[in-house]
Amino acid sequence: MNIFAELVCSVFRPNRYGEFLKDKKRKTFLFGIVLVFLYFFLTIMVPLVRFQISTGGIMHMVDEYVPDFSIKDGKVTVSRTVQYDKDGTYVFVDTGSSFIEQIGSSDLKALLRVYDRVVIMDSEQAVFKSSTQTRQLAYEDLDRDLFMTKDSMMESVGSMVNLVMAVGLTVIFAGMVLLFFFGVLFVGLFGMAVASCMHCSLTFGQLYKLGIYARTTPLLVKAVLTLLPIGVPPMFFVISVGISLWYLAEAIRHMKTPVLTGGPLSFSSSQTGPIRQDRDPWSYGESGRSDQGGTSL
């Protein structure tokens, strides 16, 4: 069974989970990677594409909001006045006047106390504030060889934005993979309790393996919910673990496995000793565990 067929089977056929125990570890790990990539595509890539289409992309927004400017021969020139005042950020740019000296140091300090982020530029100097750090820069102190325009900035920033996005998406995907396989640990641990209650002697490694497939449905449900206006409900992780445990319980119910040590002994009508449990412990069956030809004491 290929990985995509296993994706369908893990959602709609929990009674066939016994077949997954025959998969090699490499294939099971690859299944988990594909599942996480599908979740990553639905929750990260689809909203990102929507954002790109609706706004034209980050560089289009920068081109729209940043006016034409030039830095040449120790002078800064901006084509138009820019003013922005929202969410603790204040921006005022007017390179046609020297208003920073006119407002006075006391008014400037008061302005810097009110806002968390400040950019003020006039024809001679600029004042910047980011969090608690403030810097005042005179244009005459700039390197005379420094030359920059909006077009050159857009070209250099554009390649940097693409690189940052690629690195960021890679880091996010790697983090999702690690969190997925870590989360399966909880499913495996709780699955041991479920297996014990159902008198099934699956090992933790086998339960962990089945847990990877049991995470398919809750992960896809969460991905779909992120695309809907209702969003993901609180404490969804608890709900998703419950769904995974239900899949494990259904899988165990349809597998033929030996009883746990200390469980009831079965005796044959033709012998006085206990029946030898020599069948294949992981053979797949539709009717669950059965003790043929005997009665339980």
Side-chain angles (χ1 to χ4, degrees), residues 50 221-234 236:
R50 284 180 175 177
V221 169
K222 184 179 179 181
V224 173
L225 289 176
T226 59
L227 300 176
L228 299 177
I230 59 176
V232 180
F236 182 79

Side-chain angles (χ1 to χ4, degrees), residues 70-76 142-148:
S70 66
I71 303 176
K72 183 180 180 181
D73 298 329
K75 294 183 180 180
V76 177
L142 294 174
D143 188 350
R144 293 285 176 175
D145 295 331
L146 177 62
F147 176 77
M148 181 181 292

Side-chain angles (χ1 to χ4, degrees), residues 168-183:
L169 291 173
T170 302
V171 171
I172 292 173
F173 177 71
M176 284 183 172
V177 171
L178 292 176
L179 287 175
F180 171 78
F181 286 104
F182 178 75

Side-chain angles (χ1 to χ4, degrees), residues 33 37 124 147 193 213 247 262 267 272:
I33 296 293
F37 178 80
E124 298 178 356
F147 176 77
Y213 296 95
Y247 272 87
F267 292 89
T272 57

Side-chain angles (χ1 to χ4, degrees), residues 144-164:
R144 293 285 176 175
D145 295 331
L146 177 62
F147 176 77
M148 181 181 292
T149 63
K150 179 182 176 179
D151 293 337
S152 62
M153 183 204 72
M154 292 286 291
E155 183 177 350
S156 60
V157 171
S159 58
M160 185 180 299
V161 167
N162 293 332
L163 177 61
V164 170

Side-chain angles (χ1 to χ4, degrees), residues 40-287:
F40 170 80
F41 178 80
L42 294 174
T43 59
I44 302 297
M45 296 304 299
V46 171
L48 181 61
V49 171
R50 284 180 175 177
F51 171 80
Q52 292 286 95
I53 294 175
S54 61
T55 64
I58 296 177
M59 294 311 299
H60 176 76
M61 296 176 63
V62 172
D63 184 44
E64 183 178 354
Y65 289 103
V66 175
D68 291 331
F69 71 90
S70 66
I71 303 176
K72 183 180 180 181
D73 298 329
K75 294 183 180 180
V76 177
T77 304
V78 181
S79 61
R80 58 182 173 86
T81 300
V82 178
Q83 186 170 4
Y84 179 85
D85 184 356
K86 188 176 182 181
D87 299 330
T89 300
Y90 181 79
V91 178
F92 187 82
V93 179
D94 183 5
T95 56
S97 64
S98 55
F99 65 89
I100 294 181
E101 290 186 357
Q102 297 174 5
I103 63 176
S105 60
S106 60
D107 292 339
L108 180 61
K109 290 179 180 179
L111 182 66
L112 294 173
R113 283 196 300 267
V114 173
Y115 295 95
D116 298 325
R117 295 165 295 277
V118 176
V119 176
I120 303 175
M121 301 176 64
D122 66 4
S123 59
E124 298 178 356
Q125 58 185 319
V127 178
F128 305 97
K129 179 186 177 183
S130 176
S131 298
T132 58
Q133 296 183 345
T134 303
R135 183 181 180 186
Q136 191 164 356
L137 173 67
Y139 300 151
E140 61 183 14
D141 297 333
L142 294 174
D143 188 350
R144 293 285 176 175
D145 295 331
L146 177 62
F147 176 77
M148 181 181 292
T149 63
K150 179 182 176 179
D151 293 337
S152 62
M153 183 204 72
M154 292 286 291
E155 183 177 350
S156 60
V157 171
S159 58
M160 185 180 299
V161 167
N162 293 332
L163 177 61
V164 170
M165 287 184 62
V167 173
L169 291 173
T170 302
V171 171
I172 292 173
F173 177 71
M176 284 183 172
V177 171
L178 292 176
L179 287 175
F180 171 78
F181 286 104
F182 178 75
V184 176
L185 285 174
F186 293 94
V187 178
L189 291 172
F190 290 122
M192 293 181 69
V194 175
S196 177
C197 293
M198 300 182 69
H199 301 290
C200 172
S201 59
L202 289 169
T203 66
F204 175 76
Q206 292 165 329
L207 288 168
Y208 185 90
K209 195 173 192 178
L210 293 177
I212 292 176
Y213 296 95
R215 294 296 296 155
T216 304
T217 297
L219 209 62
L220 294 180
V221 169
K222 184 179 179 181
V224 173
L225 289 176
T226 59
L227 300 176
L228 299 177
I230 59 176
V232 180
M235 301 296 293
F236 182 79
F237 177 75
V238 177
I239 299 174
S240 67
V241 171
I243 296 173
S244 297
L245 292 178
W246 180 85
Y247 272 87
L248 277 182
E250 283 296 297
I252 293 172
R253 189 169 66 87
H254 289 86
M255 282 192 291
K256 291 182 178 179
T257 58
V259 295
L260 289 171
T261 303
L265 295 178
S266 298
F267 292 89
S268 170
S269 58
S270 61
Q271 65 180 34
T272 57
I275 292 177
R276 179 186 175 188
Q277 302 285 348
D278 56 355
R279 59 174 174 254
D280 182 4
W282 313 122
S283 61
Y284 170 76
E286 290 288 345
S287 59

